[in-house]
Amino acid sequence: MGVQERRARERAARKETILDAARALLLEQGFTGTTTKQIAEHCELSEATVFFYFKSKDEIFISLLFEGIEFWCHGLEKIAGLDLTPEDTLARIWKFFGQVHTEHPEYYQLSAFLARPRSTTDVSDEVRTDIIQLSGKNFQKLADILENALGKGEGRVAADLLWASFLGLTLVRESRINLGAPRHPTDRDMNRIIKLITHGLLSDTNNGERT
Amino acid sequence: MGVQERRARERAARKETILDAARALLLEQGFTGTTTKQIAEHCELSEATVFFYFKSKDEIFISLLFEGIEFWCHGLEKIAGLDLTPEDTLARIWKFFGQVHTEHPEYYQLSAFLARPRSTTDVSDEVRTDIIQLSGKNFQKLADILENALGKGEGRVAADLLWASFLGLTLVRESRINLGAPRHPTDRDMNRIIKLITHGLLSDTNNGERT
Amino acid sequence: MGVQERRARERAARKETILDAARALLLEQGFTGTTTKQIAEHCELSEATVFFYFKSKDEIFISLLFEGIEFWCHGLEKIAGLDLTPEDTLARIWKFFGQVHTEHPEYYQLSAFLARPRSTTDVSDEVRTDIIQLSGKNFQKLADILENALGKGEGRVAADLLWASFLGLTLVRESRINLGAPRHPTDRDMNRIIKLITHGLLSDTNNGERT
Amino acid sequence: MGVQERRARERAARKETILDAARALLLEQGFTGTTTKQIAEHCELSEATVFFYFKSKDEIFISLLFEGIEFWCHGLEKIAGLDLTPEDTLARIWKFFGQVHTEHPEYYQLSAFLARPRSTTDVSDEVRTDIIQLSGKNFQKLADILENALGKGEGRVAADLLWASFLGLTLVRESRINLGAPRHPTDRDMNRIIKLITHGLLSDTNNGERT
DNA sequence: GATGAATGAGTATTCATTCAT
DNA sequence: GATGAATGAATACTCATTCAT
């Protein structure tokens, strides 16, 4: 028994090692830009061993994605359980986004991977459905939290705004050549921005459907 | 002379054809995912001809980037020349972002391309500097426009917020599998969001440096 | 024009070079045993060049097969046009089988290739249908020739017997380790055998359906 | 001792399991087309275990071959012991060939395997010699039986003819795409053919060495 | 005995790029 | 100018085999 347990633990550890390598490389080079050889070298294993643990390159990145989705799920559940003022709720969410970015920085890139249109070895429909469903649930949870905090049926739009802003800022911040600002947004900038958004969301009394 | 002129025109036209093909493919498949063969087929030329007009694959995408930067430059200059209320300025900028996305949708993707760290045929330092400088100027122009409209030294932060929000929303909107919301933000959502941002930026009186 | 013609000729010649290499290797090592690298080395081209002329490994071997089928077709047509005694007809056919074996010795092996059950990049249904149809026509032609010579509705069975005997003898003759006889059948043996078969077919008066 | 015996029996049984799997796969996919992983999966063992019982992939197929050779040997001895008319002898041999094909259908394919010229882990010379010797003995036995039945020094040629015809017919019959006849030879066809051959062999009075 | 893990050497195929015509 | 032909270096993935437990 002890043997089997240890084996399972070791196996899990190796898998995680491989995922860590893939994560790092994905961030720097994107999906097509990352090769299985690089991944293997990065974790000092032979390519064949990588394929012993994962059936294909795709499977590696899908595993990464599921890890990210789960991280989201836990984080949002924790926030939902807290009892905070609207302002603090927004701040807390923003902070959580930062954590996602710290611990699963590849999460943003993965959407690009899944967006590939006609790739050959494409993700199976089953997996695709799982991803969509789980992601959808996560987003709904975020919208619910915001709806609770803000009321006014703005939860969904607020979720869009927060999530997209953070995503955009993150991308800008990470790219080595900044196509926009001559310096990347700092943490202070980020704080300033969430305050502006908060302000917009909270003081927004006279909204409505005047498209 | 007339002959030379015509030649130059034809040459420019051919180059544009190639760039159009590259643009379309870049959007669907990313930089590493797009092959020179695909580009050649897409514009019904031989690969060798593509390489006659552009020294390398990288050069094609860099040209694309410069086109985008120029588009930005013109657009922002036009906006700077207008005399609008703060609210309308924000709306106008948001609308312009939409135009960038319509006519140079690849612009967002290109940052990923430039972010590659150790690519072999890497962009020359000279080119890199050009890109940074021109992009920086553009961003500064945006910040100036916003500073004029809002005052309070918030131009730079406002520029970050607007640009990042739009970038994030765009990415979310374009990805085929939505990792966030179960449905992609609509134009209506986009409008709603710029209103929220506007609100935040304009009514934000008691801001300051209380991180 | 001259240029294009020459190009076409050169192209055809190169293709034939590759096919020759493939033919030789197929005979020695079978389909899965023959690698594209070997083929390339054998005709002193790079692997990439081989793939420039043929879309895939499969395509190479299918081309080989079609060459063989065509060779059959021509040969049988010629025989059908002759006016020979039954005995000479059989001898002529047997001799033709020998020619097939000399000039397209791989033809026999190719059936094994096509027999592969669940191969991934399998032959397209279209191609498969072509092969079956053309081969079937060839066989029918053989059966017709034999029916003309022998009468008695034995054409089909005679065709089976001749063809299978020759195929079997050829395989036995080519294998390096003989699983049967301690020496391989010689040309003299082959002649002796066709005489025996001829005898059986011609003197066979009291046949019938007494299974 | 009882323990040792049981062990030996179990060991033999395991080996046979592996050989059965290899046999089945060999038939469908050929030697190079069959992988040790497939063999292991087919008999629900780990690959490592397969390699515990057999030193190499080659050894597995060689064992298969020796089984076939032994089957031949027993079968021919039995026939040699019978006292039959020439006609019945031929029929009996033909029937035996059918049994070989039923119980050791891979036997035919194995010649191809052994024919490989420069395979890396090639069969040792010792083994090769064994195979040749044993096969040779078998064939000689067949020739002797036929010589006894037919006289006239035709035993060897008759053996060639019978064996090759059957081999050829079998191959044609098994291939999924028939390169020859539009339908595969049936049992009835097979019977018809042995009658023709019999006829040829028995009534052949005026033969001789007039090549 | 049995097996999970590990790997060096392949395996078909693709890619960006060059060059002679 | 334009292109068919050619290729070295990759690229994802497989294979037979070994070894520690």
Side-chain angles (χ1 to χ4, degrees):
Chain A
M1 264 155 289
V3 171
Q4 271 192 336
E5 259 174 44
R6 203 197 55 226
R7 280 237 169 112
R9 256 202 329 277
E10 279 172 5
R11 191 179 167 80
R14 271 263 193 281
K15 282 193 109 171
E16 204 51 49
T17 311
I18 294 168
L19 289 176
D20 288 344
R23 194 173 0 249
L25 290 162
L26 176 62
L27 265 172
E28 300 220 323
Q29 309 183 306
F31 176 75
T32 26
T34 299
T35 72
T36 51
K37 196 184 171 203
Q38 286 169 352
I39 294 174
E41 273 166 9
H42 200 278
C43 47
E44 295 178 302
L45 290 171
S46 73
E47 256 187 289
T49 302
V50 170
F51 278 95
F52 177 75
Y53 286 99
F54 294 91
K55 254 201 321 278
S56 69
K57 188 187 170 187
D58 277 19
E59 211 196 74
I60 296 174
F61 289 106
I62 289 172
S63 297
L64 233 39
L65 182 55
F66 277 112
E67 280 194 1
I69 290 176
E70 210 168 325
F71 187 83
W72 260 88
C73 186
H74 287 338
L76 289 173
E77 263 166 12
K78 217 181 278 176
I79 295 178
L82 301 174
D83 187 26
L84 302 171
T85 64
E87 237 171 3
D88 286 350
T89 301
L90 290 171
R92 192 69 189 65
I93 289 171
W94 196 255
K95 196 179 145 205
F96 171 62
F97 287 171
Q99 280 165 12
V100 174
H101 175 243
T102 305
E103 297 187 37
H104 289 278
E106 80 290 356
Y107 188 71
Y108 305 106
Q109 292 251 6
L110 284 165
S111 66
F113 159 56
L114 285 162
R116 284 175 312 156
R118 288 174 275 287
S119 90
T120 34
T121 327
D122 222 42
V123 181
S124 79
D125 279 345
E126 206 183 344
V127 170
R128 189 174 279 262
T129 311
D130 273 11
I131 293 169
I132 293 176
Q133 215 174 46
L134 291 172
S135 299
K137 262 191 203 159
N138 277 343
F139 191 83
Q140 193 52 52
K141 200 167 290 164
L142 177 61
D144 289 348
I145 293 171
L146 285 163
E147 183 59 30
N148 269 350
L150 306 170
K152 301 184 278 184
E154 296 283 7
R156 150 85 209 230
V157 165
D160 273 343
L161 174 54
L162 277 175
W163 169 246
S165 303
F166 195 86
L167 172 58
L169 285 164
T170 295
L171 285 177
V172 165
R173 201 172 181 180
E174 294 312 313
S175 58
R176 262 145 237 249
I177 291 187
N178 191 350
L179 290 185
R183 85 181 147 80
H184 299 289
T186 59
D187 280 336
R188 173 171 244 167
D189 293 328
M190 297 291 269
N191 280 333
R192 198 67 209 101
I193 286 167
I194 183 59
K195 284 218 176 100
L196 283 172
I197 293 176
T198 304
H199 216 92
L201 287 170
L202 294 180
S203 72
D204 181 50
T205 49
N206 59 336
N207 59 58
E209 300 301 307
R210 306 151 308 175
T211 314
Chain B
M1 265 154 291
V3 171
Q4 273 192 336
E5 259 174 43
R6 201 199 57 224
R7 283 225 175 120
R9 256 204 328 277
E10 280 174 3
R11 191 179 166 81
R14 271 263 196 280
K15 284 192 109 172
E16 203 52 48
T17 312
I18 294 169
L19 289 176
D20 287 344
R23 198 180 349 257
L25 291 163
L26 175 62
L27 263 173
E28 296 227 323
Q29 309 182 310
F31 176 75
T32 26
T34 300
T35 72
T36 51
K37 196 184 173 200
Q38 285 171 350
I39 294 173
E41 272 166 11
H42 202 279
C43 50
E44 295 178 304
L45 289 171
S46 73
E47 259 187 287
T49 304
V50 171
F51 276 92
F52 177 77
Y53 286 100
F54 294 91
K55 233 181 8 247
S56 70
K57 187 187 170 190
D58 278 18
E59 213 197 73
I60 296 173
F61 289 105
I62 290 171
S63 298
L64 233 37
L65 181 56
F66 278 113
E67 281 195 1
I69 290 176
E70 211 168 325
F71 187 84
W72 261 88
C73 186
H74 286 338
L76 289 173
E77 264 166 11
K78 216 181 279 175
I79 294 177
L82 301 174
D83 188 24
L84 301 172
T85 65
E87 237 173 2
D88 286 349
T89 301
L90 290 172
R92 193 70 188 65
I93 289 171
W94 196 254
K95 197 179 143 205
F96 170 62
F97 287 170
Q99 279 165 14
V100 175
H101 176 242
T102 305
E103 295 186 38
H104 289 278
E106 79 290 357
Y107 189 71
Y108 304 105
Q109 293 247 7
L110 284 164
S111 65
F113 159 56
L114 286 161
R116 283 175 314 154
R118 290 176 271 288
S119 91
T120 34
T121 327
D122 222 310
V123 180
S124 76
D125 280 344
E126 205 183 345
V127 171
R128 188 175 281 261
T129 310
D130 273 10
I131 293 169
I132 293 176
Q133 215 172 49
L134 292 171
S135 297
K137 263 190 201 159
N138 276 343
F139 190 83
Q140 192 53 51
K141 201 168 290 164
L142 177 61
D144 289 348
I145 293 172
L146 284 163
E147 183 61 30
N148 270 349
L150 306 171
K152 302 184 277 183
E154 296 282 8
R156 148 86 210 231
V157 166
D160 274 343
L161 173 56
L162 276 176
W163 168 246
S165 302
F166 195 85
L167 172 57
L169 284 163
T170 296
L171 285 178
V172 165
R173 203 171 179 179
E174 294 313 312
S175 58
R176 263 147 238 247
I177 290 188
N178 191 350
L179 288 185
R183 83 182 151 79
H184 299 288
T186 60
D187 280 337
R188 173 171 245 168
D189 293 328
M190 298 291 269
N191 281 333
R192 194 74 205 96
I193 286 167
I194 182 59
K195 284 215 177 105
L196 282 173
I197 294 176
T198 305
H199 216 92
L201 288 170
L202 293 181
S203 72
D204 181 51
T205 49
N206 60 334
N207 59 58
E209 300 302 308
R210 304 151 309 174
T211 314
Chain C
M1 263 158 291
V3 172
Q4 269 190 337
E5 260 174 44
R6 204 197 54 225
R7 280 237 169 113
R9 255 203 330 278
E10 279 173 2
R11 191 180 167 80
R14 271 263 193 280
K15 282 193 110 173
E16 205 51 50
T17 310
I18 294 169
L19 289 176
D20 287 345
R23 193 172 0 249
L25 291 162
L26 176 61
L27 264 172
E28 301 222 320
Q29 311 184 303
F31 176 76
T32 26
T34 300
T35 71
T36 52
K37 197 185 172 202
Q38 285 170 353
I39 295 174
E41 273 166 8
H42 200 278
C43 47
E44 295 179 301
L45 290 170
S46 73
E47 259 187 286
T49 303
V50 171
F51 277 94
F52 177 75
Y53 285 100
F54 294 91
K55 252 200 324 275
S56 67
K57 186 187 170 187
D58 277 19
E59 213 196 72
I60 296 174
F61 289 106
I62 288 172
S63 298
L64 234 37
L65 181 55
F66 277 112
E67 281 195 0
I69 289 177
E70 212 169 324
F71 187 84
W72 260 89
C73 187
H74 286 338
L76 289 174
E77 264 166 12
K78 216 181 279 175
I79 294 177
L82 301 174
D83 187 26
L84 301 171
T85 65
E87 235 173 2
D88 287 349
T89 302
L90 290 171
R92 193 70 187 67
I93 289 171
W94 196 256
K95 197 179 144 206
F96 171 61
F97 287 171
Q99 280 165 13
V100 175
H101 175 243
T102 305
E103 296 187 38
H104 289 278
E106 79 292 355
Y107 188 71
Y108 305 105
Q109 292 250 4
L110 284 164
S111 67
F113 159 56
L114 285 162
R116 283 176 313 156
R118 289 173 273 287
S119 90
T120 33
T121 326
D122 222 39
V123 180
S124 79
D125 279 344
E126 207 183 343
V127 170
R128 189 174 281 262
T129 309
D130 275 10
I131 292 169
I132 292 177
Q133 217 173 46
L134 292 172
S135 299
K137 263 191 201 158
N138 277 343
F139 191 83
Q140 191 54 51
K141 201 168 290 164
L142 177 61
D144 289 347
I145 293 171
L146 285 164
E147 183 59 30
N148 270 349
L150 306 171
K152 301 184 278 183
E154 296 282 6
R156 149 86 209 229
V157 165
D160 274 343
L161 174 55
L162 278 176
W163 169 245
S165 303
F166 196 86
L167 173 56
L169 285 163
T170 296
L171 286 177
V172 165
R173 201 172 180 181
E174 295 311 313
S175 59
R176 263 146 236 249
I177 291 188
N178 191 352
L179 289 186
R183 83 181 149 80
H184 300 288
T186 61
D187 280 338
R188 172 171 247 166
D189 294 328
M190 299 290 270
N191 280 334
R192 197 69 207 100
I193 286 167
I194 181 61
K195 284 215 179 103
L196 283 173
I197 294 176
T198 305
H199 215 91
L201 287 169
L202 293 181
S203 71
D204 182 49
T205 50
N206 59 333
N207 58 58
E209 301 301 309
R210 305 154 305 176
T211 313
Chain D
M1 265 153 288
V3 171
Q4 272 191 337
E5 259 174 45
R6 202 197 58 224
R7 282 223 176 123
R9 257 204 327 277
E10 280 173 4
R11 192 179 163 81
R14 271 263 196 279
K15 283 192 110 173
E16 204 51 48
T17 311
I18 294 168
L19 289 175
D20 287 344
R23 198 180 347 258
L25 291 163
L26 176 61
L27 264 173
E28 297 228 320
Q29 310 183 309
F31 175 75
T32 26
T34 299
T35 71
T36 51
K37 197 183 172 200
Q38 285 170 352
I39 295 173
E41 272 166 10
H42 201 280
C43 50
E44 295 178 303
L45 289 170
S46 73
E47 259 186 287
T49 303
V50 171
F51 276 91
F52 176 78
Y53 285 101
F54 294 90
K55 230 175 20 241
S56 70
K57 187 188 170 189
D58 278 17
E59 214 198 71
I60 296 173
F61 289 104
I62 289 171
S63 298
L64 233 37
L65 182 55
F66 277 113
E67 282 196 358
I69 289 177
E70 212 169 324
F71 187 84
W72 261 87
C73 187
H74 287 339
L76 288 174
E77 265 167 11
K78 217 180 277 175
I79 294 177
L82 301 175
D83 187 25
L84 301 171
T85 65
E87 236 173 1
D88 286 350
T89 301
L90 290 171
R92 192 69 189 65
I93 290 171
W94 195 255
K95 196 179 145 207
F96 171 61
F97 288 170
Q99 278 165 15
V100 176
H101 176 243
T102 306
E103 295 186 38
H104 288 278
E106 79 290 357
Y107 189 70
Y108 305 105
Q109 294 247 5
L110 285 165
S111 66
F113 158 56
L114 285 162
R116 283 174 314 154
R118 293 174 271 287
S119 91
T120 34
T121 326
D122 222 307
V123 181
S124 77
D125 280 344
E126 206 183 344
V127 170
R128 188 175 281 260
T129 310
D130 274 10
I131 292 169
I132 293 177
Q133 216 172 47
L134 292 172
S135 298
K137 264 190 202 160
N138 277 341
F139 191 82
Q140 193 54 52
K141 201 167 290 166
L142 177 61
D144 289 348
I145 292 171
L146 285 164
E147 183 59 30
N148 270 349
L150 306 171
K152 302 183 277 183
E154 296 282 9
R156 149 84 210 231
V157 166
D160 273 344
L161 173 55
L162 278 177
W163 169 245
S165 303
F166 195 86
L167 174 57
L169 285 164
T170 295
L171 285 178
V172 165
R173 201 172 181 179
E174 295 311 314
S175 60
R176 263 147 240 246
I177 290 188
N178 191 352
L179 287 186
R183 85 181 147 80
H184 299 289
T186 60
D187 279 338
R188 173 172 246 167
D189 293 327
M190 299 289 270
N191 281 333
R192 197 70 207 99
I193 287 167
I194 183 60
K195 286 217 176 100
L196 283 173
I197 294 176
T198 304
H199 215 91
L201 288 170
L202 293 181
S203 71
D204 181 48
T205 50
N206 60 335
N207 58 59
E209 299 302 308
R210 306 151 306 175
T211 314

